[in-house]
Amino acid sequence: MNTVSDGLPQSPPPSPPGIQHHPAPLIERNSAITEPAWVRWSLILVALLFLLGFLLLPLVTVFVEALRNGWSAYLAALTEPDALAAIRLTLLTAAIAVTANLIFGLAAAWAIAKFEFRGKSLLITLIDLPFSVSPVVAGLIYILIFGAHGWAGPWLMDHGIKVAFAVPGIVLATIFVTFPFIARELIPLMQEQGTEYEQAALSLGASGWQTFWHVTLPNIRWGLLYGVLLCNARAMGEFGAVSVISGHIRGQTNTMPLHVEILYNEYQFSAAFAVASLLALLALLTLGVKAWLEWRHADQLAATRRH
Amino acid sequence: MSPTVFAQGHTPRIARTSARRSVIPGFGLTLGYTLLYLSLIVLIPLAGVFYKSAGLGLEGIWAIISTPRVLAALKLSFGAALIGATINAVFGTLIAWVFVRYTFPGKRFFDAIIDLPFALPTAVAGIALTALYAGNGWIGQYLEPLGIKVAYTPLGVIVACTFIGLPFVVRTVQPVLQDAEQELEEAAASLGANRWQTITRVILPTVLPAVLTGYALAFARAVGEYGSVIFIAGNLPMVSEIAPLLIIIKLEEFDYAGATAVATAMLILSFFLLLVINALQAWARRRHGGKP
Amino acid sequence: MDIRIRNVHKHFGPFIALGGIDLDIASGELIALLGPSGSGKTTLLRVIAGLEFPDHGQILFGGVDMARHPVRERRIGFVFQHYALFKHMTVFENIAFGLRIRPRNQRPSTSAIRARVLELLDLVQLSGLEQRFPSQLSGGQRQRVALARALAIDPRVLLLDEPFGALDAKVRKDLRQWLRDLHHKTGVTTIFVTHDQEEALELADRIVIMNGGAIEQVGPVDQVYEHPRTPFVFDFLGGTNVIAAELRGRRLWIGDRDIAVLHDSIHPSGPVDVYVRPGDLRLADDTAPGIQVEIQTVHRAGPIVRITARTEATGQPLSIELPHLHHDVPCFTVGARLRLRLMQFSVYPRSLHIPERTLPTPILIGRERTRVHPY
């Protein structure tokens, strides 16, 4: 067996010329820049074992645990009223949060990508800010404002508006943690595309809105979908921030992840995993669509990708 | 070319003056909305935390943070995040390398799976990791006889931090490796370098800024992580209790000041990390600036 | 170091990159591999370097077959098209790399490495820039750093892949002259790949013209230019006009005019193609043998006039480059008729005609070509 340092496998003696039509390469192609096969396969094995232990097995566990008590128990856990309420609230929250951040993302990307102004990089950094704030802190900041002892909480409550420990708080916290997703997908994409298309449309007499609808939007639609997809996955799955601000009121302020936690803490493991399996399916769907987008529409996704 | 109609609106003066020459409409509207929304959702609420903690004074904050329980929680959060990010820097780089350089069956599938921590809700990840690494779990049952207890110990926190941070390193390093010119390696080989020298002296230095950026991102995410950690941590005060959980405990005790102090400490660190990440990226751009 | 290449084959999947190459290169020669893209010239260079391995065949360095040795054992200097400078290293570190990575017992001392690097920097005229990073250099400077880095390991042969491809025209001209001087000083056997025939003609001692994975012609620059063996070579070394003609015995006829006698022709009578370069056409007086053309466009470009015209006898288009002489100017109007003399031309049997220069051509066997001077 060769070691890394002594390089390439010894080549077999050359075959007589003219006999083989497609002789196997004597030495692996690009041998100057690759490793011996045993090194390659060891590295692949290590990488896959790591992925298996940290990613794949947890995923499989969710489904195995969910079905531990059989299909009927599984379905019962999902159709129980509190579970249904949690599903409804999760869908509602995600719909509002994604829409709000979609509008923001488009506006921010338009301003940042199509114009030059001072303080632009600071603005981009600020848009990224929620990514580096702990979700728990994200929940806390709204409690400090809208909580019973907060600045705006008592006044709002006097007027019959409840934010903390209620649905508006959950939505706000979700918007916060998913804030940058769509914007940071669209900004680099629209920067890459420049302003020539828009200038062309305007020169042909299109209005600003027409230009946006007929020229800009078709060019960014896959990138937009990509951002919406990731934003939605996080919005439906957000736990920390929502946990702080929701108050955990069953049937009222319980989202699916919170419902999972409650069931788990009550030792209803299969029920917890049953609800979790729905979220895991959502994650798989997200990954599937994401992989498809990256494969099929890579040209319309931002060049740099980090979440 | 005249200034656009929208640009006459209530936009910040600096911005308007430099955007004046653009023919594209909508600058005032979109930037105005961006700033308004950013302020309402992010900046003002965050400023509230600092305002509240300013009320406590430095000494007040320090008094809260320096209690043994808070210190232990902060130490665990940062320590576990640091170790998790380090594991990810090593294995994430290795995984990125394997995926960019080699072909093997199932590559596409595994490549898609790497993003699982982004897509899987943290609470789900938390209970799944707990089930897996508990004494009777698929992996835990083999570790327990060796004397390695993962679930309900600080080790469990590290496992969760590793899970949550992995994609950051892989997805930052992958494109850089992808773009790395093979010619660089051929050049090194033509100058007499063996494979090990080529990797350590040419390839790794090239991807180092990306590895560090991924490291910082993974660390930043893991420090504040809550959902995937609390289930596996066991949450024993002084042993396996993380800082975000302490914030929640203090809130439930209506100790707003205490919660704010811990949050402030975490926020300051996060902002510091953000600066580090930006500096790293600027450094990487400078270093690899200009055409080859 | 002399290099002999024997029957080298290389394929990538179904594509045959090199189909049996034989080539001898003398020690200290400066050789150009010239050909269109896909002709195999870069593959040949990489096979010599050890960056690719031949399917079979031999690469002899001074009589020793190196075909199975990896690149790092060959001690060659390779300059990449885009230089492949290590971006995280300074100019100094780049040039010192090949020396610093040697095993301890073969590694020169730190001071010896330093002296060698400074000497090389002086040679490539970049003294004082050793602490710069590659991103702080111009294209021409990077090129010279890459060359110095390749020379640092005292290579037995210097291989350059499209060395001036990424530079603008002015820098390219300066560097050509400089590379020639450098080769003169160092005396290292040098092989470079180019698709620019002007570059090859100006720099090389000998040129190797490649096409479709095979060598079309090898020889000293002047000889190849003056005596192209195939229509492909003729076509590749400068613009070409093709005029249909007929050989009757030794007489060459274009249309109904007998324009030349081929003294040494061994072509059988029959249809042939006459290849003539635009610059090898001159105005003729009415009595001299020549061809009649009608001007279609006239374009003045400094000291020469570029004319496109139609050959009256065959209807074929013709491009002509004439010196810009005052007394001629009045005749250069669209629609005017000119009579042209073919100063130098080549005659090939009609079947050898290659319509597209990028099309790989079969290896031509028994090709015949006759070169004459018109009377």
Side-chain angles (χ1 to χ4, degrees), chain B residues 203-278:
Chain B
I203 301 173
L204 287 183
T206 307
V207 298
L208 185 67
V211 175
L212 288 177
T213 305
Y215 180 86
L217 286 168
F219 178 56
R221 174 72 199 264
V223 162
E225 180 53 24
Y226 177 69
S228 53
V229 179
I230 50 153
F231 295 99
I232 200 170
N235 307 325
L236 267 177
M238 307 292 296
V239 178
S240 59
E241 188 178 61
I242 55 167
L245 178 65
L246 207 55
I247 295 177
I248 291 189
I249 291 173
K250 287 192 181 295
L251 270 182
E252 282 170 356
E253 293 165 352
F254 298 104
D255 178 7
Y256 283 23
T260 310
V262 179
T264 307
M266 295 191 63
L267 272 180
I268 287 172
L269 187 103
S270 304
F271 295 159
F272 175 70
L273 276 177
L274 202 64
L275 281 180
V276 170
I277 293 167
N278 279 351

Side-chain angles (χ1 to χ4, degrees), chain B residues 179-195 197-198 200-206 286-292, chain C residues 46 51 71-73 75-78 80-89 94 97-102 134-135 142 149-150 153 161:
Chain B
D179 292 346
E181 301 154 85
Q182 293 199 342
E183 281 192 353
L184 289 180
E185 293 166 50
E186 293 179 343
S190 78
L191 293 167
N194 62 37
R195 196 63 195 146
Q197 288 171 320
T198 304
T200 52
R201 296 192 185 213
V202 175
I203 301 173
L204 287 183
T206 307
R286 252 203 323 281
R287 187 156 146 177
H288 297 289
K291 291 288 147 204
Chain C
R46 290 173 62 88
L51 294 169
V71 55
R72 63 189 188 86
E73 291 172 10
R75 224 179 83 218
I76 51 98
F78 200 101
F80 292 84
Q81 188 175 2
H82 301 289
Y83 322 133
L85 294 179
F86 306 130
K87 288 173 219 145
H88 59 286
M89 296 183 196
N94 262 286
F97 183 86
L99 301 172
R100 284 180 172 171
I101 52 157
R102 286 192 182 162
S135 57
R142 286 178 204 175
R149 185 178 68 176
I153 60 168
D161 185 8

Side-chain angles (χ1 to χ4, degrees), chain C residues 245-266:
Chain C
E246 198 182 339
L247 201 58
R248 295 180 193 156
R250 293 191 165 188
R251 290 188 172 272
L252 186 67
W253 290 72
I254 293 178
D256 55 0
R257 279 173 182 277
D258 166 11
I259 64 157
V261 174
L262 309 185
H263 297 295
D264 51 354
S265 169
I266 50 168

Side-chain angles (χ1 to χ4, degrees), chain A residues 41-104:
Chain A
W41 285 105
S42 312
L43 291 179
I44 290 171
L45 191 70
V46 171
L48 292 189
L49 278 179
F50 190 86
L51 292 179
L52 187 76
F54 276 96
L55 303 183
L56 203 53
L57 282 182
L59 185 65
V60 175
T61 303
V62 174
F63 293 102
V64 172
E65 294 287 335
L67 294 169
R68 175 151 293 195
N69 294 345
W71 273 102
S72 53
Y74 179 78
L75 289 177
L78 293 183
T79 50
E80 178 229 351
D82 285 347
L84 289 177
I87 293 172
R88 266 197 301 276
L89 181 58
T90 294
L91 292 176
L92 175 74
T93 307
I96 298 174
V98 170
T99 312
N101 284 334
L102 175 63
I103 295 167
F104 161 72

Side-chain angles (χ1 to χ4, degrees), chain B residues 107-197:
Chain B
K107 180 169 161 176
R108 256 192 127 89
F109 168 78
F110 279 103
D111 192 34
I113 280 289
I114 287 173
D115 285 325
L116 187 71
F118 290 150
L120 192 69
T122 53
V124 178
I127 61 171
L129 286 172
T130 311
L132 198 60
Y133 285 93
N136 57 357
W138 287 346
I139 294 180
Q141 61 180 322
Y142 299 109
L143 296 176
E144 199 105 310
L146 303 174
I148 305 171
K149 270 181 68 97
V150 177
Y152 319 122
T153 68
L155 202 53
V157 181
I158 294 173
V159 167
C161 287
T162 309
F163 170 85
I164 206 71
L166 179 68
F168 290 97
V169 178
V170 179
R171 295 302 187 220
T172 326
V173 175
Q174 224 173 0
V176 178
L177 269 181
Q178 200 98 56
D179 292 346
E181 301 154 85
Q182 293 199 342
E183 281 192 353
L184 289 180
E185 293 166 50
E186 293 179 343
S190 78
L191 293 167
N194 62 37
R195 196 63 195 146
W196 179 247
Q197 288 171 320

